[in-house]
Amino acid sequence: DAKTTQPNSMESNEEEPVHLPCNHSTISGTDYIHWYRQLPSQGPEYVIHGLTSNVNNRMASLAIAEDRKSSTLILHRATLRDAAVYYCILSFSGGYNKLIFGAGTRLAVHP
Amino acid sequence: DSGVTQTPKHLITATGQRVTLRCSPRSGDLSVYWYQQSLDQGLQFLIQYYNGEERAKGNILERFSAQQFPDLHSELNLSSLELGDSALYFCASSVGIGPTEAFFGQGTRLTVV
């Protein structure tokens, strides 16, 4: 399974954009990039996923580098509720959506 | 509410015992995944089923077993429990087998004493 590297922690202020980076230099052409987050005392929650093109949904945007060796999750306006651990995960397209979680990035949001 | 139901929410048992954790996936979801989350190990993938068949296996101990039934609910059986098995166990489900959104339950907190 290809690995991802994320910063251990990041901080943001409320209502400011947040850019969460993820490096995945060993990504293969058929690996999808997924982002999940886990709020305190809850199960992980899907945020977004993509393959090559940038993706947007109501929760966030995913910017994927042209060489696909890195990606950035963008929260456009952070709220206190966005404080969570964010996981960047790769899944092989033929691998039954097997999601292997790393340590993630703990995001703190300040009022 | 993710639509994935896990029971029980909390479980306290003694070392050496056996327990069964139950997961009901979202309506229409055919894939079920099990994860273990402990403080020192993070979220560990255990096993995945699709439409009743095992499709992927992770770091699941031999003392642990799982199955997915014809009605698509799944059970995770943990036997000969040790103190180190104390953890949160999450179940997730997704509609198919391709890269897609997985929905996680609230977890079962297992405490082995």
Side-chain angles (χ1 to χ4, degrees):
Chain A
D1 301 311
K3 292 193 183 302
T4 63
T5 304
Q6 299 177 251
N8 290 334
S9 62
M10 290 185 64
E11 296 187 4
S12 173
N13 294 317
E14 204 175 5
E15 298 191 6
E16 289 184 356
V18 182
H19 291 233
L20 296 162
C22 181
N23 287 318
H24 29 78
S25 58
T26 61
I27 192 170
S28 73
T30 51
D31 283 342
Y32 277 74
I33 302 160
H34 302 254
W35 283 83
Y36 281 76
R37 70 181 186 181
Q38 188 172 20
L39 279 64
S41 304
Q42 294 191 26
E45 174 187 31
Y46 169 84
V47 178
I48 202 165
H49 78 281
L51 183 61
T52 55
S53 304
N54 294 343
V55 184
N56 300 297
N57 67 20
R58 63 171 178 80
M59 200 183 290
S61 295
L62 175 59
I64 301 173
E66 202 168 323
D67 64 3
R68 302 210 326 124
K69 292 185 185 302
S70 66
S71 61
T72 302
L73 178 71
I74 303 165
L75 306 179
H76 295 287
R77 287 184 66 204
T79 69
L80 297 179
R81 194 193 172 276
D82 291 323
V85 179
Y86 286 78
Y87 299 96
C88 170
I89 304 161
L90 303 181
S91 78
F92 170 52
S93 66
Y96 298 101
N97 207 37
K98 178 179 164 184
L99 302 171
I100 305 297
F101 287 75
T105 296
R106 184 173 297 277
L107 175 67
V109 180
H110 303 293
Chain B
D1 181 8
S2 67
V4 177
T5 303
Q6 290 187 247
T7 56
K9 286 189 170 46
H10 301 276
L11 196 50
I12 302 175
T13 190
T15 54
Q17 295 299 303
R18 173 189 169 94
V19 297
T20 297
L21 312 184
R22 182 186 169 101
C23 170
S24 294
R26 283 189 335 147
S27 176
D29 283 359
L30 298 178
S31 273
V32 169
Y33 318 70
W34 286 98
Y35 286 83
Q36 178 193 57
Q37 186 171 36
S38 55
L39 281 175
D40 58 346
Q41 292 285 327
L43 267 162
Q44 298 288 311
F45 170 73
L46 296 179
I47 199 163
Q48 180 196 4
Y49 284 84
Y50 175 73
N51 204 20
E53 293 192 18
E54 181 185 308
R55 290 299 185 185
K57 215 166 186 175
N59 301 323
I60 187 165
L61 300 173
E62 283 191 13
R63 300 183 285 108
F64 296 0
S65 65
Q67 59 183 127
Q68 186 179 26
F69 294 86
D71 67 352
L72 301 177
H73 91 273
S74 178
E75 292 180 358
L76 179 66
N77 300 296
L78 314 176
S79 62
S80 303
L81 284 167
E82 302 174 358
L83 295 178
D85 297 327
S86 295
L88 261 173
Y89 291 84
F90 288 106
C91 168
S93 73
S94 64
V95 63
I97 58 174
T100 185
E101 178 176 359
F103 295 85
F104 283 76
Q106 290 298 299
T108 292
R109 180 171 294 281
L110 174 67
T111 303
V112 182
V113 297

